[in-house]
Amino acid sequence: MVILAIGGVGRPVRALDPGENETWVTVEQFERVLDAVTGCEDVGLTFDDGNSSDVEIALPRLVERDLTAEFFPLAGRIGQRGFIDADGLRELVEAGMSIGSHGWEHRDWRRLDGRHARRELEVAPKLLADLSGKPVRAYVPPFGAYDRRVLGRLRRSGATRIYTTEGGAASRDGLLRPRTKVRYDVDQQWIDGVLGDRDRLYRRAGRMMARVSRLVRL
Ligand SMILES: [Zn+2]
């Protein structure tokens, strides 16, 4: 399948981190993407960072099209200006969306000391599980940055899905799932390119999957 990674939608209501504006799309771009994937069983949708647009803009448009998605909030930013709050998170779950962890405060998980590792990889998913009422089994390492150690840790803590950002095709039952980033400059041509010839993409992906599974078999 093809899995899209979406950041914020609409106009940000907080100061963005450096480079983060590239992960924001307009409402019009977002609706275009949703219209293109509606009815496609082999396209997955994920939302990173827990922006307030997840609930205010994305959720009603997903529900309207009978789509579901996985959301990856930053546990440490829940309730802060521009991010979803606990009620918003519950609203997502009640609408049939799933919640995974993007950690506490957007740190590179390859470079964590003991205290930060605990917060990013243990406290964050626990808080998200408590708030959503469901266990957290899916993870998105910030910056798409991971190594064998990160994968091993996540797997030992019960991860069944780890989403990255290499693009290309993802296996439906794989632990490591590459995603394609939806960026600020997304247009119809890009959408057609990514979603257009998926059968050819899946054939090509067979070879890549073999490499990925070697990496994951720790
Ligand atoms: Zn992020």
Side-chain angles (χ1 to χ4, degrees):
M1 62 191 299
V2 169
I3 305 170
L4 301 179
I6 299 162
V9 184
R11 196 183 290 275
V13 294
R14 60 179 172 87
L16 299 182
D17 291 339
E20 200 190 349
N21 56 333
E22 299 204 344
T23 69
W24 279 72
V25 297
T26 65
V27 175
E28 198 205 339
Q29 287 171 311
F30 178 65
E31 290 181 338
R32 219 175 244 245
V33 170
L34 289 194
D35 288 340
V37 308
T38 299
C40 300
E41 297 277 305
D42 61 339
V43 179
L45 297 170
T46 61
F47 292 80
D48 289 2
D49 303 328
N51 291 295
S52 50
S53 61
D54 286 358
V55 174
E56 287 160 14
I57 299 174
L59 180 60
R61 287 164 177 80
L62 289 167
V63 170
E64 205 174 86
R65 291 166 178 78
D66 209 12
L67 291 165
T68 54
E70 284 188 274
F71 289 80
F72 294 87
L74 291 161
R77 297 199 183 152
I78 287 172
Q80 287 182 14
R81 182 176 160 74
F83 294 94
I84 60 168
D85 58 15
D87 287 340
L89 194 135
R90 275 187 285 272
E91 218 179 298
L92 291 173
V93 175
E94 277 160 23
M97 310 296 154
S98 349
I99 305 295
S101 183
H102 198 33
W104 191 264
E105 55 180 8
H106 224 270
R107 281 175 177 270
D108 184 337
W109 290 355
R110 294 169 305 178
R111 305 176 212 297
L112 298 172
D113 60 26
R115 183 170 65 94
H116 286 115
R118 208 180 96 69
R119 203 163 61 169
E120 293 294 327
L121 305 175
E122 291 171 35
V123 181
K126 172 147 190 347
L127 176 66
L128 293 165
D130 288 348
L131 291 176
S132 67
K134 300 200 170 153
V136 164
R137 298 267 178 261
Y139 292 82
V140 167
F143 316 107
Y146 62 93
D147 55 20
R148 295 168 77 97
R149 205 160 143 244
V150 170
L151 297 182
R153 256 195 115 127
L154 293 177
R155 208 164 64 150
R156 281 193 298 279
S157 64
T160 56
R161 302 183 298 287
I162 302 169
Y163 291 103
T164 62
T165 49
E166 288 94 354
S171 150
R172 207 174 277 278
D173 50 5
L175 173 66
L176 205 51
R177 302 183 183 206
R179 303 179 300 169
T180 303
K181 278 192 196 179
V182 176
R183 290 161 36 96
Y184 73 102
D185 56 357
V186 56
D187 57 13
Q188 195 60 47
Q189 196 186 345
W190 182 90
I191 295 170
D192 294 343
V194 168
L195 301 176
D197 195 0
R198 298 203 291 284
D199 287 338
R200 196 165 58 94
L201 175 67
Y202 297 153
R203 282 197 298 277
R204 192 148 36 96
R207 293 191 296 275
M208 194 181 80
M209 281 303 146
R211 286 205 302 276
V212 167
S213 52
R214 273 200 298 280
L215 176 67
V216 177
R217 215 175 294 130
L218 300 161

